[in-house]
Amino acid sequence: MNRFWMMAACLLILLSCQEGSGVDPLQSQVEELQNEALNSDLAWSLLHALTTEVGPRMAGTDGDRRAVEWAHSIMESLGFDKVWLEPVSFPKWRRGSESAFLVTSYRLPLAVTALGGSPGTDGVLRAEVELFDNLQELSAADPAQVQGKIAFINDRMSAGGAGRGYSEVVKGRVMGPFVAAEKGAVALVIRSVGTDNNRLAHTGSMDRPEGREAVPSAAISNPDADLLVSVIESGKSMELELQLDCGLDGAATSYNVIGEVTGSEPDAGYFAMGAHLDSWDLGTGAVDDGAGVAIVMAAATMIADQPERSRKSLRVILFANEEQGIYGGKEYARAHGHELDKHIAGAESDMGSGRVYALVATVSESARPAISELAGLLEPLGIEYDPGRKAFGGADIGQMGLLGMPLIDLRQDASLYFDIHHTANDTLDKVNKDDLNQNVAAWVTLAWFLVNSDQDFSTE
Amino acid sequence: MNRFWMMAACLLILLSCQEGSGVDPLQSQVEELQNEALNSDLAWSLLHALTTEVGPRMAGTDGDRRAVEWAHSIMESLGFDKVWLEPVSFPKWRRGSESAFLVTSYRLPLAVTALGGSPGTDGVLRAEVELFDNLQELSAADPAQVQGKIAFINDRMSAGGAGRGYSEVVKGRVMGPFVAAEKGAVALVIRSVGTDNNRLAHTGSMDRPEGREAVPSAAISNPDADLLVSVIESGKSMELELQLDCGLDGAATSYNVIGEVTGSEPDAGYFAMGAHLDSWDLGTGAVDDGAGVAIVMAAATMIADQPERSRKSLRVILFANEEQGIYGGKEYARAHGHELDKHIAGAESDMGSGRVYALVATVSESARPAISELAGLLEPLGIEYDPGRKAFGGADIGQMGLLGMPLIDLRQDASLYFDIHHTANDTLDKVNKDDLNQNVAAWVTLAWFLVNSDQDFSTE
């Protein structure tokens, strides 16, 4: 009896050892990577360095040049196998001084900032204001109503699902300057495309359609837009005084900074993960897109540090000049479109440091089981698989997606993102280190899974 | 039996009617006033008018002058029995352009604002920075360490009870400019005294002690202070460039605007309720102290509208230049100190529109039961009586309190107050109408109770 139980116990121990050694090695590697990511200082220290040592890095500025140098040298020091630059050219836009005043029975300075790409006002411009609820209303206006005035698009972006979201409201910023010009306005002022109530204006680019003229264009903060509306509704006489010293200023060249962690089979393809290195000039670009830069660099570094190389490669692309027209992403697609088949898949981190909550993939049907397996690995991080949606890829990586590259999104909580998006408030204090590390854990999981997978994800 | 029950029922009905007609008439009046206040548009429309039609009203400016005119004419139109102005003189301080740059391997504009009373920099001043954790540390510093540099006081105000609160941290703003001068600094920069993380600096006055020199002094926003600390800690070489076009500029006269709702016995004394009419110049002063102005004016108007006059009078005092040294409050105490016995009690609304949560009173022991009765009337508004604390009275009304006037506080939730205090963010959108009306309901209760009470509250 005693011996029987002894043997039974031994058998049980053996069986459980057997089971232990039977754990999927990928899963245990991922657990280790996630654990390391969640407790790491790497992403935070990269972001700290980028925002403190480099600072703002608007495309074509000296800050942009220093950012490229910084990224290049940091990637080399972090153990990437190859790091290189690919040139990206674009029209350079310059921002100088800018101011706006509400002029009524008093004169009040407003929180204002020129839209990226806007021409300047050539001194001080003063005119009456004509209010429009949104771009559609301006588009439908009788030119006689707008002629010689400053058109004011008062479209409010709402947080959450109710109300008008970013993609609707941003049309006023993107196309408003051209529509206002066609209607004979002397300038355009828009309510900032943002969800906050701070006296800080949200910049952002207007479009650059061929052959269309734009008027000088700027955004004012939400509280300033509220005030304008109040004064207009009160029927008091009122003018706006606008001074924008800005404009296009020749051409500039910056660089996509690309780093590779080369796999054991260099021809087996690579997973491309991106973020954009440029930022707006008003803040230090900690959230947009310093966080993304830090997340993908930290995740790739962890993979470079693995004792053994994966079969496939990992490519980190820090895109140039996303903000003023996705120049880096478009240039990458132009230069690498013929290598589409080398790109296993692509993904981009460009929504700050909000926690990842969903996995979305645009891949072949046959790759769905593999994505489900990936979803299982992400689940412990609080991430759910959303099979019903289409991946967006991010502005830059999305350009390769348009050519057919499989896309994967790690969707982030963006509930605070549009409070500070494109404002002076985009600084390091807005980033939560734990949330940043949850992103790194998700990205290192995604990357390690893809570079070790034999699955073909391509959609065709 | 039937008849017995009939008679019993009649008796019950008669008794309950008796009880009904026995309800304290004060209590039913207060219930009606509270109900009216909670559903009124008056305070909101007053605040809307003050912030939209008048705008910022820094002491001695044209906005200040217009605010006095506005308050005078509005009080007359609202049915106050007497409205008059009492002159208040003070040194005029002027703010012109202001800028600061962090100069290191890059040059970054900081969110900066001069402290009220600061001298200007006379052009651009550029110097190294010496960091101090707080005023005490600067006070203890070896002058050799500070000589020729910009002293930087990096004292962070905490929200809530933990950490350093306003009264501690504000010492750096109030006295720092003089201590920095004594140590040989060329300028002072302080971390904003505020609880937010916005790129908006908090202004506020420095003291004006006799015979002591001050250096040019300014506050930078919390995120900018964080960045300065990061750069200093990184050991990178760094300077600050400061340009403050501001300074004292002769003398100015403004006015305490006083309105009275006269009681049926004009010699029976008055309850003095105050707020300050001046604001800082960066926002529209909606919270500090437009809200207080609207609250006390609305409450007084409701009392002026009552069908019958109370025995005692109500006095509303909108104080001049609280922000730069409590000039209006001090002048009122100088001019009216000899009428102390006419002032039943005093109270001030100067903490924005956060809901009232506590009643605090500094009155005679014999008046405690009356205060308890008042507390019972305030209870339905969610206000608790805190008998253990001493009333502060507010900066202005507190000056009469120093002479012995009984003081009553309606303490407000201030959890968001120091996020926007003295910044460009002090605008109408920060005020919640329901909260504002809860304040009006509390103030009309307090006022109606006091002008109808026979109690002597005086502490001596």
Side-chain angles (χ1 to χ4, degrees), chain A residues 367-390:
Chain A
R368 286 281 157 198
I371 296 295
S372 293
E373 191 189 344
L374 169 61
L377 296 171
L378 290 168
E379 209 185 337
L381 299 171
I383 300 167
E384 287 189 6
Y385 178 30
D386 186 345
R389 309 187 76 164
K390 217 167 132 38

Side-chain angles (χ1 to χ4, degrees), chain B residues 281-354:
Chain B
D281 51 338
L282 304 177
T284 58
V287 170
D288 186 11
D289 183 24
V293 167
I295 289 163
V296 297
M297 282 174 91
T301 301
M302 291 177 67
I303 286 174
D305 287 347
Q306 286 298 294
E308 280 180 40
R309 283 295 148 98
S310 55
R311 195 166 72 81
K312 296 177 182 175
S313 301
L314 186 63
R315 183 174 277 196
V316 167
I317 311 164
L318 304 183
F319 291 99
N321 199 354
E322 185 267 353
E323 292 295 1
Q324 297 182 27
I326 320 179
Y327 287 97
K330 288 177 178 166
E331 176 56 28
Y332 185 88
R334 199 198 56 74
H336 296 276
H338 68 283
E339 301 164 324
L340 195 60
D341 59 330
K342 301 268 190 182
H343 292 74
I344 314 168
E348 184 165 353
S349 176
D350 185 17
M351 198 58 88
S353 62

